[in-house]
Amino acid sequence: SIVSQEIFIHSNLVEIIISDNASTDLTNIEVPLYVLRFPDKIKYFRNEEDLKDLNFEKCLSYAKGKFLKLNNDTLLHHSFSLLFLLSAILENIDEKHVLFFANQQLHNKPIFTDCNLDKFLELTGYISTWVGSFGIWKSDFHQIPEFNRYSKYQLVQFDNTLNQIATKGHFKVYSKIFGNTIGVRAKGGYDLITVFLDNTSYILEEYVSCGNLKNHSVINFKRKVIFE
């Protein structure tokens, strides 16, 4: 769904990095076929063991682009997705706002704010935890001292989104739908309640204690996770 898009085929604006986390499926057979087709645009690496969520930072560290974006394994791109994403990146390349790609029709236009984390959680709700929404400027990525500090909670992307906004004080939410989630029989490797309620609460409480977030915002966030 990515390599079939014209802008990928006919330009060098997009690079794909695959960090194979010691997969036991056919990843190591299928991916090299794509590398052969696009040797300058697709880079393939394989970990000797399953690094779990530590693999996010490792994958991003291989990238050369000015903006780095995660793509989770169930995200199927629409035919226009790269044009949309590139347009958003180029639009913000000077100011380097924190960019959040919700892939949910929350609003008609991109929402920019120089407000705080309370506004961000109000706008995005549980979508703030989605791997596919996460992106970061390469220059900012290299400035983060502990990217993996919450990897054991399986919410590396969530913590680093919050950290970027708390640090920069401004963000832009893009709600345009650019892909679909492929249905799977079961979520692998984590319990939904533990990760999306208990673990998010633990991380959010730190931002409350640091004064970056109000307690009522955390309560509202948990209420939405539970009831909506």
Side-chain angles (χ1 to χ4, degrees), residues 53 56 70 98 100 117 120-121 126-131 133-136 144-168 195-196 199-208 210 212-213 221:
D53 286 28
F56 290 162
L70 291 177
V98 179
F100 184 86
L117 287 178
F120 176 72
L121 286 183
Y126 78 94
I127 301 167
S128 58
T129 66
W130 183 47
V131 174
S133 68
F134 180 81
I136 187 169
I144 298 177
E146 296 181 274
F147 190 89
N148 282 314
R149 63 179 187 154
Y150 284 139
S151 61
K152 68 178 181 180
Y153 294 109
Q154 298 175 284
L155 287 164
V156 168
Q157 71 286 351
F158 180 54
D159 175 48
N160 280 288
T161 296
L162 299 177
N163 185 39
Q164 285 187 81
I165 295 171
T167 301
K168 288 196 164 187
V195 173
F196 294 105
N199 293 357
T200 55
S201 297
Y202 180 85
I203 292 171
L204 289 171
E205 288 299 336
E206 180 193 321
Y207 288 90
V208 172
C210 292
N212 298 124
L213 187 64
F221 176 87

Side-chain angles (χ1 to χ4, degrees), residues 20-29 44 46-50:
D20 181 349
N21 211 11
S23 300
T24 56
D25 56 14
L26 299 177
T27 299
N28 62 330
I29 296 175
Y44 175 62
R46 180 175 170 86
N47 301 328
E48 293 184 1
E49 60 181 350
D50 183 354

Side-chain angles (χ1 to χ4, degrees), residues 27-209:
T27 299
N28 62 330
I29 296 175
E30 293 287 344
V31 171
L33 300 178
Y34 285 91
V35 176
L36 283 174
R37 289 173 58 193
F38 304 102
D40 298 326
K41 301 177 186 180
I42 302 179
K43 305 300 180 186
Y44 175 62
F45 305 89
R46 180 175 170 86
N47 301 328
E48 293 184 1
E49 60 181 350
D50 183 354
L51 303 179
K52 300 188 182 301
D53 286 28
L54 295 174
N55 195 39
F56 290 162
E57 182 181 33
K58 190 162 190 176
C59 187
L60 293 172
S61 70
Y62 292 130
K64 297 178 181 178
K66 293 183 179 179
F67 188 83
L68 319 177
K69 188 184 179 307
L70 291 177
N71 194 92
N72 55 316
D73 55 359
T74 57
L75 177 56
L76 184 70
H77 283 247
H78 291 327
S79 60
F80 59 82
S81 68
L82 296 184
L83 281 172
F84 159 64
L85 294 169
L86 283 167
S87 175
I89 291 164
L90 292 172
E91 186 178 278
N92 295 276
I93 200 165
D94 293 327
E95 296 87 355
K96 290 186 170 51
H97 301 304
V98 179
L99 303 185
F100 184 86
F101 298 98
N103 198 40
Q104 302 274 341
Q105 204 60 52
L106 306 175
H107 319 282
N108 293 326
K109 296 180 180 179
I111 299 296
F112 169 74
T113 177
D114 57 359
C115 297
N116 47 31
L117 287 178
D118 301 279
K119 184 65 175 178
F120 176 72
L121 286 183
E122 179 188 333
L123 286 169
T124 61
Y126 78 94
I127 301 167
S128 58
T129 66
W130 183 47
V131 174
S133 68
F134 180 81
I136 187 169
W137 300 98
K138 190 177 181 69
S139 55
D140 293 334
F141 175 69
H142 289 303
Q143 297 299 317
I144 298 177
E146 296 181 274
F147 190 89
N148 282 314
R149 63 179 187 154
Y150 284 139
S151 61
K152 68 178 181 180
Y153 294 109
Q154 298 175 284
L155 287 164
V156 168
Q157 71 286 351
F158 180 54
D159 175 48
N160 280 288
T161 296
L162 299 177
N163 185 39
Q164 285 187 81
I165 295 171
T167 301
K168 288 196 164 187
H170 49 79
F171 63 87
K172 190 176 286 188
V173 173
Y174 286 86
S175 62
K176 185 180 181 69
I177 298 173
F178 62 90
N180 293 330
T181 298
I182 302 171
V184 292
R185 292 181 181 178
K187 292 287 185 182
Y190 59 87
D191 174 73
L192 290 171
I193 298 298
T194 299
V195 173
F196 294 105
L197 188 60
D198 298 341
N199 293 357
T200 55
S201 297
Y202 180 85
I203 292 171
L204 289 171
E205 288 299 336
E206 180 193 321
Y207 288 90
V208 172
S209 66

